[in-house]
Amino acid sequence: MAGLAAANCRQNLSGPSVGSGDSDGTLHIYTWANYTDDDLAAAFTERTGIPVVVDIFDSNEVMLTRLQAGGGDAYSIIYPSDYMVSEMIDLGLLTQLDQNRITGLDSLKAQWVNPGYDPNNAHSVPFCWGTTGLLFNREATPGEPVDWEFLWANQSALSRRITLIDDMRETLGATLKSLGYSYNTNNPTEIEAAYNRLLELQPAIAAFKTTGFESELLAGDLSISMAYSSDAIALTLEDNRMEYILPASGSSLWTDTLAIPSTAPNVDAAYQWINFMLEAEVASAAVERLFFATANQTAFDRLPDEIKANADLYPPEDVLAKCEGIVAVDTASADLFDQFWTQVTSA
């Protein structure tokens, strides 16, 4: 089932539909890989008569750049993460939602009713959440990873067999965490220390990839990949050699949302998509197929007990307590993150 879900989604991995808009009534969606499969899109179209076209991004920064370059008039639904919602609100890129047009907000779990990144969900609707950790092939990895430090301690044995997420806040954030600092530090000395430490690991890194590492990991050509829990869980269910761990020192706890760009061409269809995704039956079925944790309490209550008990999907509270959500940093720190990330990825 995991392989089928991933294959179905990847059928939609076309390039952005530049300037396509929704003038023909189609709903154009810009989202993460594996968040909208063919079954989900087909069910929405059957219900509403609205065709769906899905384009994929692999980082919040890619999505933001696309919208700032004029992509906001090509898409009516986007899936920004928590900290990116805050940034996009400040930039005037998101529509303030008319909550009278939304049904299902009363089903949200308590921690998402009034999130710090978007008070009262004024510009976004929580869609799913998860963690970021290490996914490894037990047969191709020397030892048992416990924390981020494993990558540096085993750098020689793992040379060119590591992939890290192609996202500056996630990867520099994990490096900050490995040093005992916060993902969200505004301290330039700490950010520079993370940059220098990531540079130490750079010779052992095969690639910065958010997705697309799966076949190499299964084949044993890679040993270990930094991954989002939703992607990792699909692989652990497909092959029992794969294991996902949350680093002991902590990691990121992310929320991805549904939002409408301020220049969206098909706002009516966007509200219909939001309402569709908030339906408990739709949301719970998506969890079972696509392996992300739902922010919808009613949908969670519908899940089979074995899914509720999956610690990779729903980690214990003591584990989550060591994780932190990524939040927007001040302008000087954001510039520093961007500068150092550019230097690392172009080295």
Side-chain angles (χ1 to χ4, degrees):
M1 182 170 67
L4 178 61
N8 282 347
C9 181
R10 292 189 188 109
Q11 292 173 11
N12 293 322
L13 298 186
S14 58
S17 306
V18 178
S20 58
D22 294 335
S23 58
D24 61 351
T26 298
L27 176 64
H28 287 259
I29 297 174
Y30 202 21
T31 185
W32 300 89
N34 301 334
Y35 272 23
T36 304
D37 65 359
D38 289 347
D39 289 344
L40 194 63
F44 176 76
T45 301
E46 182 177 359
R47 171 85 64 85
T48 65
I50 301 170
V52 174
V53 172
V54 178
D55 289 334
I56 301 302
F57 59 81
D58 61 7
S59 77
N60 282 287
E61 285 67 32
V62 167
M63 182 269 297
L64 176 61
T65 299
R66 171 80 184 108
L67 262 68
Q68 288 179 313
D73 61 0
Y75 301 106
S76 294
I77 283 287
I78 56 174
Y79 282 66
S81 299
D82 34 28
Y83 76 93
M84 185 54 63
V85 169
S86 300
E87 292 188 25
M88 296 181 78
I89 292 171
D90 290 343
L91 292 168
L93 294 173
L94 298 183
T95 295
Q96 183 164 341
L97 298 176
D98 179 355
Q99 296 192 352
N100 292 322
R101 300 184 66 178
I102 299 174
T103 56
L105 287 174
D106 56 347
S107 296
L108 293 176
K109 287 174 172 279
Q111 57 266 52
W112 284 283
V113 170
N114 186 29
Y117 60 84
D118 183 20
N120 299 313
N121 296 305
H123 299 83
S124 63
V125 173
F127 168 61
C128 68
W129 64 276
T131 57
T132 304
L134 294 171
L135 173 66
F136 64 98
N137 183 330
R138 280 191 289 265
E139 293 182 356
T141 303
E144 188 87 5
V146 174
D147 209 343
W148 298 114
E149 177 60 31
F150 181 87
L151 301 178
W152 282 268
N154 295 274
Q155 183 168 343
S156 296
L158 294 171
S159 182
R160 313 306 292 176
R161 299 176 65 82
I162 300 168
T163 63
L164 300 179
I165 287 176
D166 188 14
D167 185 296
M168 69 178 183
R169 291 299 307 278
E170 283 284 4
T171 295
L172 280 169
T175 310
L176 282 162
K177 204 71 173 174
S178 76
L179 292 167
Y181 304 137
S182 168
Y183 266 70
N184 303 306
T185 182
N186 286 301
N187 185 321
T189 301
E190 293 177 357
I191 298 171
E192 185 171 8
Y195 160 68
N196 287 327
R197 187 158 211 229
L198 192 52
L199 272 186
E200 293 173 15
L201 188 64
Q202 207 275 342
I205 299 170
F208 292 95
K209 286 185 177 182
T210 302
T211 59
F213 56 81
E214 294 89 346
S215 60
E216 294 172 273
L217 200 60
L218 288 166
D221 297 327
L222 292 173
S223 297
I224 191 164
S225 293
M226 182 182 178
Y228 295 122
S229 54
S230 52
D231 297 319
I233 291 165
L235 225 58
T236 63
L237 295 175
E238 185 173 324
D239 191 313
N240 60 17
R241 296 173 302 157
M242 303 296 121
E243 185 171 340
Y244 176 70
I245 64 115
L246 270 178
S249 61
S251 186
S252 74
L253 177 63
W254 45 262
T255 300
D256 289 337
T257 74
L258 296 161
I260 304 174
S262 55
T263 54
N266 197 342
V267 173
D268 289 341
Y271 277 110
Q272 290 188 66
W273 180 263
I274 290 172
N275 289 334
F276 179 72
M277 295 305 299
L278 281 170
E279 291 182 16
E281 184 176 0
V282 172
S284 60
V287 172
E288 294 186 57
R289 289 199 317 278
L290 304 175
F291 314 111
F292 43 68
T294 180
N296 186 321
Q297 182 65 52
T298 308
F300 177 80
D301 293 341
R302 294 176 57 94
L303 293 174
D305 289 341
E306 62 269 23
I307 291 181
K308 293 179 184 178
N310 186 320
D312 290 340
L313 188 61
Y314 293 102
E317 287 301 322
D318 61 328
V319 174
L320 290 178
K322 297 179 182 178
C323 298
E324 56 183 318
I326 299 177
V327 301
V329 293
D330 62 41
T331 301
S333 298
D335 290 343
L336 205 53
F337 271 105
D338 187 59
Q339 173 192 328
F340 286 146
W341 180 247
T342 300
Q343 292 174 4
V344 167
T345 55
S346 61

